């Protein structure tokens, strides 16, 4: 599943302190892939945030006849300016993807670390339940729940994508945590009588930052993919609003006459996912190299 | 899922035990999947309200008919037991949209999707292994880096992005050589018009090859750096033979695992690809059913997709053990 690597062997940092975040970031920046992916991601994020203020037309403003070649990218099926829609359409994808990734990471890491730390019977039960959610392709889980809902809000999509990430994150973080929970400094902390929750937060988690950051990058890539895919299938949270996935759905029938209305959002989504994926791989490599 | 070799006294008994445990786990997972599917479609929202929308209050007759069909009013447990009983007997219920039995509607789409996935796998497997071998041959040199960066870039791109770009290039905007949609006459099959299959298959291949190829290359590199391959080279065995006989054979088992994962994942990918190309398969049917809030059809299709995932994983585990001499001999010794 993992496009990048299996961070199971990774054990960032040698001591109980773990690597400081700044030094890890520097190390990652020395990776060409990370530097490239990170700058490209940053550029698209800035575009998504700033562009709505600069767009020549409003989000739902009619700029001319439908599918006309006026403007840089022409107009769409309702005569709205494609460039302006493109400039407005990044924010919702960005916010939903980031929130879904965060939710999936938090739940997944908790489940994975608890499974690794508790071990034995608990581990077995948690990982079996994990397998149940894993049997659904990510998009399928979202579609199944959307069947019975009338007008799903954006938060429903955040929760659905987050939940579908969780078992995949749990698998990875369990693997990473297994290599840490048996190490001396964790055993020592336990022997000193530290509470279990404190051992997890203070000793185990700080030593997982490298692989977890890499996993988060990968999850962000998939979040963008699934959010855009739902839009493409016509299940966006707000049907009239500009949204890169939704734009493709709306203008697909005009692909022959006005290709830019479809190809422009397709290209942005493609570039965005390439950028986040390169970033994730750079993080994975940086975390594997150790100090 | 574990690939741990079964340990035990006598070979046959150990095998039986392993297989029984593995099958039991698969059945347990499938049962839990059915609980998730049922709760998600029947308990989280109100399908009747979703279908009727604004007519919910005015169209009382249709509402009562839908509620009767879905069994609204009965306890959720008895509805689940009824539904599960039907599934076990092979009765998938009746579609809300057209009142036809779900079983007959999905049989042809399941076949169409199977053909699409199998064709993609047939193209993808040799392609992925080929790319991995070329890449491993030039390991850590320029061609390898270029190939790996391209594969990595492709790996995260959603299927519909590659699909639309392929359509724009090969059927609408640049060349005009391939059909953009799969048109199927009633009663005919999609493969009656082979040209219409090219772009859907190509899209799926582009979506899956990067993962498989990257894993196979990693395994190849591991083997090529190992002592026994070094010994083989020192004995004077030419490099191509080393690659074929020593490296490739050892990359097959991890390859099977990742191919199984990807085949199962294709089941999700077909949702997008089939919708894009109007290919009459499970994925397009699922999207249409979700749009119409056709609960019985969605339930049946998601059970089939999840079931395929579980079975494919089971088969992959079995094959991995059969093909790993270490795991095989652990039983007989």
């Amino acid at each position: 599943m993992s496009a990048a690597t299996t961070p199971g062997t990774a054990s960032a940092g040698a001591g109980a302190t773990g690597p400081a975040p700044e030094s890890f970031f520097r190390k990652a920046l020395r990776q060409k892939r990370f530097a490239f992916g990170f700058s490209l991601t940053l550029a698209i994020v800035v575009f998504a945030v700033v562009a709505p203020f600069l767009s020549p037309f409003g989000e739902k403003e009619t700029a001319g006849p439908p599918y006309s070649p006026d403007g840089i990218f022409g107009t769409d099926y309702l005569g709205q300016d494609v460039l302006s829609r493109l400039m407005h359409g990044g924010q919702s994808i960005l916010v939903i993807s980031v929130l879904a990734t965060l939710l999936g990471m938090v739940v997944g890491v908790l489940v994975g670390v608890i499974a690794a730390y508790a071990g034995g019977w608990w581990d077995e039960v948690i990982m079996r339940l994990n397998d149940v959610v894993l049997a659904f392709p990510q998009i399928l889980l979202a579609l199944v729940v959307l069947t019975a809902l009338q007008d799903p809000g954006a938060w429903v999509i955040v929760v659905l994508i987050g939940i579908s990430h969780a078992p995949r994150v749990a698998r990875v973080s369990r693997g990473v945590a297994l290599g840490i929970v048996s190490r001396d400094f964790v055993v020592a902390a336990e022997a000193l009588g530290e509470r279990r929750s404190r051992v997890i937060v203070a000793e185990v988690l700080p030593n997982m930052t490298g692989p977890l950051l890499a996993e988060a990058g990968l999850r962000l890539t998939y979040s963008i993919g699934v959010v855009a895919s739902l839009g493409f299938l016509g299940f966006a949270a707000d049907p009239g609003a500009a949204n890169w996935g939704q734009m493709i759905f709306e203008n697909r029938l005009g692909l022959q006459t006005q290709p830019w209305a479809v190809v422009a959002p397709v290209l942005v989504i493609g570039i965005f996912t390439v950028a986040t994926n390169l970033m994730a791989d750079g993080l994975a490599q940086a975390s594997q190299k150790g100090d | 899922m574990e690939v741990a070799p079964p340990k035990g006294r006598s070979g046959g008994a150990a095998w039986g035990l392993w297989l029984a445990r593995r099958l039991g786990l698969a059945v347990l997972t499938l049962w839990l999947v059915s609980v998730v599917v049922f709760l998600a479609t029947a308990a989280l929202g109100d399908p009747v309200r979703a279908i009727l929308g604004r007519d919910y209050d005015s169209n009382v007759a249709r509402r009562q008919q839908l509620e009767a069909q879905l069994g609204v009013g009965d306890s959720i447990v008895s509805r689940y037991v009824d539904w599960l009983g039907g599934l076990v007997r092979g009765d998938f219920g009746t579609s809300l949209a057209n009142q036809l039995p779900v079983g007959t509607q999905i049989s042809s789409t399941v076949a169409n999707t199977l053909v699409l996935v199998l064709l993609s796998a047939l193209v993808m497997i040799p392609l992925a292994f080929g790319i991995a071998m070329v890449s491993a041959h030039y390991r850590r040199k320029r061609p390898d880096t270029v190939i790996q960066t391209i594969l990595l870039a492709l790996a995260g791109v959603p299927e519909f992005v590659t699909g639309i770009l392929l359509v724009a290039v090969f059927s609408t905007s640049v060349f005009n050589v391939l059909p953009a949609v799969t048109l199927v006459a009633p009663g005919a099959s999609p493969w009656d018009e082979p040209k219409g299959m090219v772009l859907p298959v190509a899209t799926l291949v582009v979506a899956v090859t990067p993962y498989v190829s990257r894993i196979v290359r990693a395994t190849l590199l591991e083997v090529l750096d190992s002592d026994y391959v070094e010994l083989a080279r020192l004995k004077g065995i030419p490099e191509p033979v080393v690659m074929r006989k020593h490296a490739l054979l050892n990359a097959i088992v991890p390859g099977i695992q990742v191919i199984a994962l990807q085949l199962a994942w294709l089941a999700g990918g077909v949702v997008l690809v089939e919708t894009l190309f109007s290919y009459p398969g499970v994925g397009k049917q699922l999207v249409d059913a979700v749009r119409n809030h056709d609960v019985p059809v969605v339930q049946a299709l998601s059970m089939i997709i999840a079931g395929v995932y579980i079975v494919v994983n089971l088969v992959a585990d079995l094959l991995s053990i059969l093909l790993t001499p270490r795991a095989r001999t652990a039983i007989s010794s």
Side-chain angles (χ1 to χ4, degrees), chain A residues 1-5 32-33 124 128-129 131-137 139-141 143-150 171 221-222 224-226 228-230 232-235 245 248-249 252 255-256 259 262-263 266-267 269-270 273-274 277-278 281-282, chain B residues 1-2 21 25 29 32-33 36-37 40-41 44-47 49-50 53 145 148-149 152-153 155-158 160-161 164-165 167-168 172-173 211 214 261-262 264-265 267-268 271-272 275-276 286-287 290-291 293-295 298 302 305-306 309-310:
Chain A
M1 202 70 203
S2 153
T5 45
K32 239 187 271 164
R33 271 178 197 167
E124 184 82 359
R128 286 297 152 252
L129 289 179
D131 283 342
V132 175
V133 189
L134 278 175
F136 294 91
I139 189 111
L140 179 65
L141 195 70
L143 287 178
V144 168
V145 178
L146 288 177
T147 309
L149 299 181
Q150 204 175 351
R171 238 189 196 188
T221 309
Y222 291 136
I224 298 165
V226 179
S229 301
L230 285 176
F232 163 73
L233 293 175
F235 298 106
I248 303 168
F249 173 70
R252 246 182 63 204
L255 184 63
Q256 190 103 40
V262 176
V263 173
V266 162
L267 284 179
I269 294 169
T273 46
V274 168
N277 210 25
L278 289 178
D281 188 70
Chain B
M1 304 287 169
E2 66 259 48
R21 191 181 125 79
L25 270 178
T29 313
L32 287 169
V33 162
V36 173
V37 167
T41 46
L44 277 183
D46 183 352
R49 201 177 272 279
T145 325
Q148 290 309 309
T149 311
L152 184 67
V157 175
F160 70 88
V161 168
I164 289 176
L165 291 179
V167 169
T172 58
S173 302
Y211 295 98
R214 281 168 60 82
L261 263 179
Q262 292 303 316
W265 178 89
V271 171
L272 296 164
T275 309
L276 174 62
L286 179 73
V287 172
V290 172
R291 247 180 229 144
H293 309 286
D294 196 342
V295 173
V298 174
S302 36
I305 294 178
Y309 175 89
I310 291 169

Side-chain angles (χ1 to χ4, degrees), chain A residues 67-117:
Chain A
Y67 294 135
S68 78
D70 308 342
I72 297 181
F73 290 136
T75 61
D76 70 358
Y77 77 120
L78 289 179
Q80 298 154 322
D81 182 44
V82 171
L83 179 66
S84 304
R85 296 278 284 176
L86 198 67
M87 294 171 103
H88 279 105
Q91 267 179 1
S92 63
I93 286 204
L94 194 68
V95 172
I96 293 179
S97 313
V98 169
L99 288 181
T101 308
L102 280 179
L103 178 68
M105 287 302 292
V106 170
V107 176
V109 169
L110 271 182
V111 171
V113 171
I114 288 174
Y117 195 57

Side-chain angles (χ1 to χ4, degrees), chain B residues 139-210:
Chain B
R139 56 191 167 279
R140 298 183 253 285
K141 286 190 209 122
R142 188 105 200 136
D144 180 36
T145 325
V146 172
I147 291 176
Q148 290 309 309
T149 311
I150 294 175
L151 290 181
L152 184 67
L154 286 177
V157 175
E159 304 82 328
F160 70 88
V161 168
T162 30
I164 289 176
L165 291 179
L166 285 175
V167 169
V169 170
F170 290 105
S171 50
T172 58
S173 302
V174 186
F175 306 109
N176 227 319
V177 287
L178 292 166
V181 289
T182 319
L183 290 174
V184 182
S189 306
W191 49 91
D192 292 339
E193 185 61 64
K195 261 178 123 181
M197 302 282 292
V198 174
L199 285 182
V201 169
T203 311
L204 285 176
V205 169
V206 172
V208 176
T209 306

Side-chain angles (χ1 to χ4, degrees), chain B residues 254-330:
Chain B
I256 287 176
Q257 290 283 333
V258 67
I259 288 170
L261 263 179
Q262 292 303 316
L263 276 183
W265 178 89
L266 272 181
V270 293
V271 171
L272 296 164
V273 173
E274 289 181 357
T275 309
L276 174 62
F277 293 101
S278 304
Y279 184 91
V282 169
K284 184 175 178 303
Q285 194 172 33
L286 179 73
V287 172
D288 291 341
V290 172
R291 247 180 229 144
N292 298 330
H293 309 286
D294 196 342
V295 173
V297 176
V298 174
Q299 287 171 336
L301 291 178
S302 36
M303 283 308 294
I304 288 175
I305 294 178
V308 166
Y309 175 89
I310 291 169
V311 171
V312 166
N313 263 313
L314 183 71
V315 173
D317 276 5
L318 202 64
L319 274 180
S320 301
I321 289 210
L322 288 176
L323 291 177
T324 313
R326 219 179 314 132
R328 250 190 348 242
T329 45

